[in-house]
Amino acid sequence: MLILQNIGYTHPDKDVLFRDINLSLSKNDKAALIGNNGSGKSTLLQLMAGRLQASEGHISCSTQPYYVPQVYGRFNDLTIAQALNVGEKLQALQEILAGNVTETHLNTLNEDWTLEERCREALAYWQLDIPDLQQSMGTLSGGQKTKVFLAGITIHKPEIVLLDEPSNHLDTEGREKLYEFIRSATCTMLIVSHDRRLLDLLSPVYELSKHGITVYGGNYTFYAEQKQIEVQALDQDLKSKEKALRKAKETERESLERQQKLDARGRKKQDKAGLPTIMLNTFKNSAEKSTARIKNVHAEKTGDLAQELRELREELPGRDKMKFDFDNSVLHKGKLLFQAEKVQISYNDQNLWEQPLSFSIYSGERIALKGPNGSGKSSLIRMLLGRLEQSSGKIQRNSDRAVYIDQDYSLLQDELSIYEQAQQFNTSGLQEHDIKIRLNRFLFTRTYWDKPCAVLSGGERMRLILCCLNIGSKAPDLIVLDEPTNNLDMQNIEILTEAVREYQGTLIVVSHDTHFLEQLHTERTIGLY
């Protein structure tokens, strides 16, 4: 139904993104496409959708796929009807209903008399109240734009659907709708996502990496189990190679010592024999060549083993070494950090919440802040952090050490280099080499240090913030995570999860990702509905 053979893609700047990609989708498949940020998942979907041209290889598809993009900025100047690719048909239908029955309008409509009704029903399914399809896409929120494109699946009834991070901008209710829709859909689907609940609805899982496509014949839970087995095998292989390298170096040392003893013994015999100088020089050269040969043989062997070790270490996941290294002794469990009494925020004399909010937050708590899009979660966070004044009520703050990590990672300054950014958090007077050691631990090697923060991907920005907080070393009383997983791949979500689980202070998380919240062991919820 959809077959990719030896597909390669090279960026306009001649940088090769991937090569030799082979993938096959059969009828009714509901498959996942996963991979680290930058591996080319979105590009691969666009190649399948015909939005980009492959540099090499061949794509065979029985029908035109329907494509739901991850980024909607380029649609802002279009109407909803145009974004759904029904603008011309709806215009022709309106002309015909108005009595302007021409052959051109009839050909454009192509007997699709139920189009307007299907549009209304599809949008209503996604709980979108849009009476006018000529409304601009630019007036919609991210979640509403996603729902518009999802509604297009029902409107067009395609045989193949390609979805790029469809749950990113959806609130909890929207995600539940998406899961229900995918379960009941009869079309073939290939979905790029980092949403664990969504990925567990899909099988098989295609993993895109520098090695090409690897197929796992199950859902994401099955994939994760298989990857764990692979990591364990990799770890065993690593230990075996380390042992072999130690043995090779020991053998090299023993061989050289043995050769040196033989040479010394030979020189003594030669001295006693009173041989001519020319012959002594010949024996000396022969001994030196023999020693050099031994060194070369062993150097080649140890060099090969060292290279294999480096490659194996690159394959190992790095999440275990990327944890908060805070001094948690300054955190006092159970201390009252925030007390809100009947607080309200108003915009243009309009209250944000139906009822004023009253709540307390204590040190060490793990809290999920939930509510649909537009319910005021971001406003509440800004009020807690003292960045927004409440319109009424009282709020007591007993903390001056809070860190706010939003989904754009705006703690970072784009104009600074990565090393300069790390230095901004160096409040304990670490030396340059100590900072660079910590940067390396968070996968920022020498090649990254002079790069500006502006060029970093979402996952890299998250890792740099974790690194900077470690350089600061002093544990904050509060960390607020605002939709932190939206721009992360699965590997970086795991790194973030592992790091935050080590933190012993107060945690407030805004997320519609229920699996992420479960992994962080959130204890209670503040709900805005």
Side-chain angles (χ1 to χ4, degrees), residues 63 66 215 254-255 397 420 435 443:
T63 182
Y66 181 85
V215 186
E254 290 173 350
S255 297
R397 299 182 188 88
E420 289 169 341
I435 292 175
L443 308 185

Side-chain angles (χ1 to χ4, degrees), residues 322 409 412-413 416-423 425 439 442 444 451-454 456-471:
M322 286 182 263
Y409 305 105
L412 304 180
Q413 300 174 59
L416 296 180
S417 72
I418 288 168
Y419 176 75
E420 289 169 341
Q421 179 66 71
Q423 273 284 21
F425 285 77
L439 284 169
F442 284 82
F444 294 106
K451 287 184 179 181
C453 293
L456 298 180
S457 68
E460 289 169 333
R461 291 173 76 85
M462 181 277 296
R463 279 193 276 112
L464 183 55
I465 283 182
L466 294 182
C467 180
C468 288
L469 293 178
N470 272 278
I471 288 170

Side-chain angles (χ1 to χ4, degrees), residues 1-18:
M1 197 167 195
L2 176 61
I3 300 172
L4 277 64
Q5 295 176 302
N6 302 319
I7 293 298
Y9 183 78
T10 303
H11 289 298
D13 64 1
K14 308 301 182 185
D15 186 23
V16 176
L17 181 59
F18 49 67

Side-chain angles (χ1 to χ4, degrees), residues 192 281 367 398 429:
V192 171
N281 287 337
I367 300 169
N398 299 319

Side-chain angles (χ1 to χ4, degrees), residues 55-69:
S55 307
E56 56 191 58
H58 178 67
I59 297 177
S60 173
C61 192
S62 60
T63 182
Q64 177 60 41
Y66 181 85
Y67 171 62
V68 177

Side-chain angles (χ1 to χ4, degrees), residues 78-340:
L78 301 181
T79 66
I80 292 170
Q82 289 171 332
L84 286 169
N85 201 25
V86 296
E88 291 184 3
K89 274 192 174 186
L90 285 175
Q91 182 63 36
L93 178 61
Q94 294 303 322
E95 291 289 341
I96 292 168
L97 293 176
N100 187 12
V101 183
T102 67
E103 186 174 350
T104 300
H105 291 147
L106 288 170
N107 287 338
T108 300
L109 184 60
N110 194 27
E111 298 190 9
D112 195 356
W113 301 102
T114 64
L115 176 61
E116 196 169 33
E117 184 181 350
R118 289 205 316 278
C119 288
R120 281 198 304 270
E121 289 176 353
L123 292 170
Y125 174 85
W126 293 102
Q127 299 175 323
L128 288 173
D129 182 17
I130 301 176
D132 183 10
L133 292 179
Q134 300 310 310
Q135 181 178 337
S136 169
M137 285 286 287
T139 64
L140 304 180
S141 69
Q144 288 173 321
K145 289 172 186 174
T146 299
K147 291 177 179 179
V148 165
F149 283 103
L150 291 172
I153 301 172
T154 304
I155 295 166
H156 293 288
K157 301 188 186 312
E159 293 179 27
I160 302 175
V161 175
L162 308 173
L163 301 165
D164 194 353
E165 298 286 4
S167 63
N168 251 13
H169 301 284
L170 299 180
D171 57 23
T172 303
E173 188 176 2
R175 288 187 180 214
E176 292 298 334
K177 272 284 182 190
L178 176 64
Y179 305 149
E180 175 191 323
F181 182 78
I182 289 171
R183 275 191 289 261
S184 61
T186 57
C187 57
T188 300
M189 289 183 166
L190 181 64
I191 303 176
V192 171
S193 181
H194 62 258
D195 181 336
R196 280 291 300 263
R197 283 193 60 192
L198 172 53
L199 289 171
D200 270 342
L201 301 176
L202 309 174
S203 175
V205 171
Y206 293 97
E207 182 184 42
L208 178 61
S209 71
K210 62 183 179 181
H211 304 299
I213 290 276
T214 306
V215 186
Y216 294 83
N219 63 9
Y220 188 84
T221 296
F222 173 80
Y223 160 83
E225 290 169 353
Q226 294 302 305
K227 290 299 284 187
Q228 185 59 36
I229 293 171
E230 290 177 19
V231 168
Q232 288 170 354
L234 198 62
D235 190 49
Q236 285 297 113
D237 200 6
L238 186 66
K239 289 176 181 175
S240 175
K241 285 286 188 298
E242 286 172 341
K243 184 177 179 181
L245 182 59
R246 286 195 301 271
K247 182 67 176 174
K249 287 181 176 179
E250 185 180 334
T251 303
E252 178 186 15
R253 179 180 55 76
E254 290 173 350
S255 297
L256 287 171
E257 286 178 355
R258 191 162 50 247
Q259 184 64 38
Q260 287 166 358
K261 287 177 181 176
L262 288 172
D263 292 345
R265 200 175 301 138
R267 280 193 299 273
K268 284 181 181 178
K269 288 182 179 179
Q270 291 156 15
D271 291 342
K272 287 180 181 179
L275 295 173
T277 302
I278 190 169
M279 288 188 68
L280 289 174
N281 287 337
T282 301
F283 286 133
K284 180 182 178 184
N285 290 337
S286 177
E288 287 175 351
K289 285 179 182 178
S290 179
T291 301
R293 275 197 304 272
I294 291 172
K295 283 184 177 179
N296 288 337
V297 168
H298 287 287
E300 185 176 350
K301 186 173 182 179
T302 56
D304 289 344
L305 283 169
Q307 178 61 30
E308 289 173 19
L309 265 176
R310 281 193 294 272
E311 291 172 359
L312 281 172
R313 285 179 179 135
E314 286 176 4
E315 296 290 331
L316 282 171
R319 61 180 179 269
D320 292 333
K321 60 184 179 181
M322 286 182 263
K323 296 179 180 178
F324 286 132
D325 190 21
F326 290 141
D327 175 11
N328 290 305
S329 62
V330 298
L331 300 172
H332 305 291
K333 200 92 170 172
K335 172 188 173 184
L336 179 66
L337 294 184
F338 299 96
Q339 177 95 44

